[in-house]
């Protein structure tokens, strides 16, 4: 299976990156192809709401930024993983821009599954991200929910969490 991970963390060695890397290790061991896009290291602007993609663009965004590297991976992916630290009860702004730009494709043709990884400094702050995941990804894109993994405080980078994510990656079918 081709899996696309959109990592919304600005920290290269942060808690979210540890979650992503553990998952990717397990998934690759199981024979899956995993592409990880560190969206905070990319120049991806927000959607302009110009509708070019749905009028003249034939599903192509008019903006020529790093999102152009993500679109082909989105079109091939069978599963998408959204990974983000929680900032003000939702995804990072950089990840949100990337998510909004998926609009140009409407519904990526091969995408069937999704998962969500969230890290935080405290518990019970996941509401906004969970709402977006459920409504924008699972319901609107009609994707199968493969799992939601959250961690806060000392759970971040714990062997238990990272082991669970490796196993999750290994057991995907």
């Amino acid at each position: 299976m081709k899996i696309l991970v959109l990592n919304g963390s600005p920290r290269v060695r942060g808690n979210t990156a540890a979650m992503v890397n553990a998952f990717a290790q397990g998934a690759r061991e199981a024979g899956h192809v995993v592409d990880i896009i560190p969206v905070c290291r990319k120049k991806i602007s927000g959607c302009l709401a110009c509708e070019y993609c749905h009028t003249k663009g034939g599903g192509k965004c008019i903006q020529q930024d790093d999102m152009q590297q993500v679109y082909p991976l989105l079109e091939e992916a069978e599963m998408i993983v959204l990974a983000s630290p929680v900032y003000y009860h939702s995804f990072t702004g950089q990840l949100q821009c990337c998510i909004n730009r998926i609009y140009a494709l409407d519904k990526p043709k091969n995408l069937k599954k999704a998962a969500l990884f969230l890290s935080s400094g405290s518990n019970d702050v996941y509401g906004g991200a969970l709402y977006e995941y459920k409504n924008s990804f699972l319901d609107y894109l009609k994707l199968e929910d493969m799992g939601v993994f959250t961690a806060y405080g000392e759970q971040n980078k714990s062997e238990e969490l990272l082991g669970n994510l490796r196993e999750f990656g290994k057991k995907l079918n």
Side-chain angles (χ1 to χ4, degrees):
M1 176 168 38
K2 290 190 176 193
I3 303 169
L4 176 61
V5 179
L6 299 177
N7 179 358
S9 177
R11 295 183 179 162
V12 178
R13 290 177 193 74
N15 298 324
T16 304
M19 294 172 82
V20 166
N21 291 334
F23 164 76
Q25 178 187 6
R28 287 176 178 140
E29 285 176 18
H32 302 291
V33 175
V34 182
D35 289 301
I36 302 169
I37 302 296
V39 298
C40 293
R41 296 178 122 5
K42 302 287 183 187
K43 298 287 184 198
I44 299 175
S45 298
C47 178
L48 298 173
C50 66
E51 288 296 328
Y52 176 85
C53 57
H54 294 284
T55 56
K56 300 174 190 166
K60 305 256 187 248
C61 183
I62 197 167
Q63 296 186 75
Q64 297 300 305
D65 59 11
D66 289 343
M67 191 66 187
Q68 299 306 320
Q69 300 165 15
V70 179
Y71 285 133
L73 298 172
L74 267 167
E75 287 285 56
E76 294 176 1
E78 299 161 86
M79 179 175 174
I80 189 167
V81 176
L82 302 177
S84 182
V86 175
Y87 292 177
Y88 289 96
H89 303 271
S90 196
F91 305 122
T92 59
Q94 296 94 327
L95 180 58
Q96 190 63 58
C97 285
C98 190
I99 290 169
N100 291 351
R101 295 280 297 283
I102 294 172
Y103 176 72
L105 300 177
D106 191 33
K107 296 178 182 176
K109 61 184 175 196
N110 295 315
L111 207 53
K112 303 286 185 255
K113 301 175 181 188
L116 179 64
F117 303 166
L118 299 172
S119 63
S120 177
S122 60
N123 196 11
D124 202 29
V125 295
Y126 308 112
L130 291 169
Y131 179 87
E132 170 113 10
Y133 174 69
K134 180 182 182 324
N135 292 285
S136 294
F137 281 83
L138 302 181
D139 293 348
Y140 179 74
L141 294 176
K142 299 189 181 356
L143 302 178
E144 179 183 354
D145 182 12
M146 300 305 292
V148 174
F149 292 82
T150 61
Y152 70 95
E154 291 181 11
Q155 294 174 345
N156 285 304
K157 294 186 182 177
S158 70
E159 274 310 309
E160 180 182 3
L161 172 69
L162 300 180
N164 288 342
L165 284 161
R166 275 189 291 278
E167 282 303 307
F168 171 60
K170 285 181 188 178
K171 291 181 179 177
L172 284 174
N173 54 26

